């Protein structure tokens, strides 16, 4: 067993954090990354992206994020940090290798990893850290093939330059959709509409120097109903009523919505853009007809381009579905330091969307997983 390393699948923040935590405990860990570099998902994000969590609360175990990167760290600096993290901890990272299937070894003492190039690797334990945002999901809207404009997923959006002077519809009002819409407004698009199915909770990223993330961390320790009650007057004080502009206040509590899987939208210009009429919230996209977009209220519009911020799939089916450890939504049934009962020494990290910040929770999970494996 000592000859078998722990294999960590995924060279993003979660995988690197687990490998570093294992190395600190004297456990050999090998990171397998299908791309050519660590932090592949971050390299593919849009240009203006910054962490919505603070620098101090986003560092991975054993290495602070440089103060020079500022409080809200930019995408390129996150990539630089991840590269430095792997180098600083002298992590064993193998790039260009994609693991396609996991099986127990014949003697049931470890894991057999089937990887690209016909590789078969044997590990004492496996940590799957392939990420919450793995495979872009583009809905198969009825009549989609009749649309002749540009239609792309948010994963393929980089900056507003190609859309200057154009009429653009952004579908989805999560943090990604809201920020891309603001980017288009500020980048010179002639018209920006934002298709909204369910009105989101909007929070200020920071109020009088107090980041929303710290409030979110405190909320995790409180009952859902209490947080809902406390959040209501605070939100009304900090966020104007945009109902007249087409973006009403949500009819469910903030933390109740979080428990349903919807993280509040942090304001990075959305409120001002809607309030000033530079961005137009519209009904959800339902279908296409004769090249036009049909909205949920029955109206039809003809944008030049559509950016679909419609989420991602975890894409774990090929890897572990045969083990019976995925829920109906394709997510692992357990998370963090607790492996599924039927698959000992198989751990998952990064498959939740915590209100307290993804990088913070990845760091905490990494320490717990390393402790469980080292035992």
């Amino acid at each position: 067993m000592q000859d078998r390393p722990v294999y960590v699948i995924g060279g993003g923040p979660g995988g690197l954090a687990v490998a570093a935590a294992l190395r600190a405990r004297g456990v050999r860990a090998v990171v397998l990354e299908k791309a050519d570099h660590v932090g592949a998902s971050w390299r593919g994000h849009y240009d203006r992206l910054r962490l919505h969590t603070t620098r101090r609360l986003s560092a991975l175990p054993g290495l602070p994020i440089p103060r020079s990167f500022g409080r809200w760290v930019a995408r390129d600096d996150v990539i630089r940090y991840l590269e430095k993290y792997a180098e600083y901890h002298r992590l064993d990272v193998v790039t260009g290798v994609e693991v396609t299937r996991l099986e127990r070894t014949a003697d049931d003492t470890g894991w057999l990893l089937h990887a690209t190039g016909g590789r078969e690797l044997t590990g004492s334990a496996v940590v799957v850290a392939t990420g919450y945002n793995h495979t872009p999901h583009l809905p198969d809207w009825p009549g989609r093939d009749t649309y002749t404009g540009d239609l792309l997923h948010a994963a393929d959006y980089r900056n507003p330059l190609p859309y200057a002077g154009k009429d653009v519809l952004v579908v989805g009002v999560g943090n990604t959709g809201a920020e891309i819409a603001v980017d288009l407004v500020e980048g010179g698009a002639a018209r920006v509409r934002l298709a909204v199915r369910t009105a989101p909770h909007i929070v200020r990223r920071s109020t009088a120097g107090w980041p929303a993330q710290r409030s979110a961390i405190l909320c995790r320790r409180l009952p859902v109903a209490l947080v809902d009650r406390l959040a209501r007057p605070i939100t009304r004080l900090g966020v104007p009523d945009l109902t007249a502009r087409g973006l009403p206040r949500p009819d469910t509590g903030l933390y109740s919505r979080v428990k349903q899987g919807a993280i509040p939208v942090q304001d990075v210009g959305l409120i001002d853009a809607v309030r000033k009429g530079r961005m137009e919230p519209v009904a959800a996209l339902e279908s296409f007809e004769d090249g036009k977009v049909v909205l949920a209220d029955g109206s039809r519009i003809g944008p030049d381009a559509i950016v679909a911020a419609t989420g991602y799939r975890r894409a774990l089916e090929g890897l572990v579905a045969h083990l019976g450890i995925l829920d109906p939504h394709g997510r692992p049934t357990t998370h963090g330091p607790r492996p599924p009962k039927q698959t000992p020494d198989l751990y998952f990290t990064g498959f939740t969307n915590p209100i307290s910040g993804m990088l913070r929770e990845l760091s905490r999970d990494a320490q717990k997983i390393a402790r469980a494996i080292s035992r």
Side-chain angles (χ1 to χ4, degrees):
M1 292 293 291
Q2 292 301 319
D3 295 333
R4 298 177 179 177
V6 174
Y7 282 107
V8 181
I9 305 174
L16 298 180
V18 169
L22 285 168
R23 192 178 190 281
R25 291 178 173 271
V27 179
R28 182 185 171 211
V30 178
V31 178
L32 303 176
E33 167 55 51
K34 70 176 183 179
D36 294 331
H37 307 277
V38 299
S41 63
W42 276 92
R43 297 174 191 273
H45 287 314
Y46 48 94
D47 295 347
R48 81 173 271 151
L49 178 64
R50 289 179 176 270
L51 287 179
H52 291 167
T53 54
T54 66
R55 170 180 52 82
R56 288 190 176 185
L57 295 175
S58 301
L60 302 180
L63 185 67
I65 297 176
R67 189 173 183 178
S68 60
F69 287 178
R71 193 181 199 191
W72 312 105
V73 183
R75 181 203 63 181
D76 289 350
D77 286 333
V78 172
I79 296 168
R80 290 169 56 194
Y81 171 70
L82 295 178
E83 291 174 338
K84 181 64 177 178
Y85 190 84
E87 176 188 344
Y88 178 83
H89 288 292
R90 291 178 287 179
L91 301 182
D92 189 353
V93 180
V94 182
T95 58
V97 176
E98 181 178 7
V99 180
T100 56
R101 185 179 175 89
L102 294 177
E103 296 176 347
R104 291 294 290 174
T105 55
D107 59 4
D108 200 34
T109 60
W111 287 96
L112 180 65
L113 293 75
H114 298 272
T116 49
R119 298 177 179 87
E120 290 188 349
L121 310 169
T122 305
S124 60
V126 173
V127 182
V128 180
T130 49
Y132 189 84
N133 295 336
H134 186 276
T135 302
H137 169 62
L138 189 64
D140 188 16
W141 289 294
R144 194 177 78 183
D145 57 349
T146 69
Y147 181 65
T148 57
D150 295 328
L151 172 60
L152 70 155
H153 190 274
D156 298 314
Y157 175 88
R158 293 294 172 269
N159 57 63
L161 292 178
Y163 308 98
K166 292 186 177 182
D167 180 346
V168 187
L169 173 68
V170 179
V171 181
V173 70
N175 277 293
T176 297
E179 188 159 7
I180 287 176
V182 171
D183 199 32
L184 289 163
V185 167
E186 296 176 353
R191 186 176 190 179
V192 179
R193 285 175 281 204
L194 182 61
V196 180
R197 183 172 299 278
T198 304
H201 283 277
I202 304 172
V203 298
R204 300 287 187 180
R205 187 168 65 174
S206 179
T207 303
W210 178 265
Q213 183 188 8
R214 289 198 178 275
S215 297
I217 293 171
L218 295 174
C219 287
R220 297 192 73 182
R221 301 176 180 273
L222 299 174
V224 173
L226 176 60
V227 175
D228 285 348
R229 287 197 299 270
L230 293 174
R232 193 173 296 115
I234 294 173
T235 301
R236 288 183 180 276
L237 285 173
V239 178
D241 187 358
L242 301 172
T243 302
R245 291 290 185 177
L247 198 60
R249 295 189 187 277
D251 55 7
T252 56
L254 185 149
Y255 204 29
S256 293
R257 185 73 65 80
V258 169
K259 290 298 184 179
Q260 297 169 3
I263 299 298
V265 172
Q266 289 200 13
D267 176 45
V268 291
L270 175 68
I271 293 174
D272 281 347
V274 172
R275 185 166 53 184
K276 295 176 181 178
R278 300 178 67 195
M279 184 192 306
E280 306 166 51
V282 296
L285 192 161
E286 288 292 321
S287 62
F288 294 86
E289 189 174 300
D290 298 328
K292 296 289 186 180
V293 173
V294 181
L295 301 178
D297 60 4
S299 60
R300 285 167 168 76
I301 60 175
D304 301 316
I306 300 172
V307 181
T310 47
Y312 293 79
R313 302 291 192 196
R314 277 16 98 200
L316 292 170
E317 287 78 9
L319 188 67
V320 298
H322 57 285
L323 300 173
I325 56 174
L326 298 181
D327 68 16
H329 300 288
R331 297 171 299 204
T333 53
T334 65
H335 191 269
R338 295 182 298 109
K341 290 182 180 180
Q342 63 269 47
T343 53
D345 301 315
L346 176 59
Y347 302 85
F348 294 87
T349 185
F351 293 97
T352 62
N353 195 14
I355 190 175
S356 51
M358 179 67 81
L359 292 180
R360 178 181 183 271
E361 298 308 319
L362 287 175
S363 298
R364 293 162 65 88
D365 270 354
Q367 302 283 19
K368 295 174 184 177
I369 291 172
R371 189 180 308 122
I373 290 176
S374 65
R375 285 173 180 170

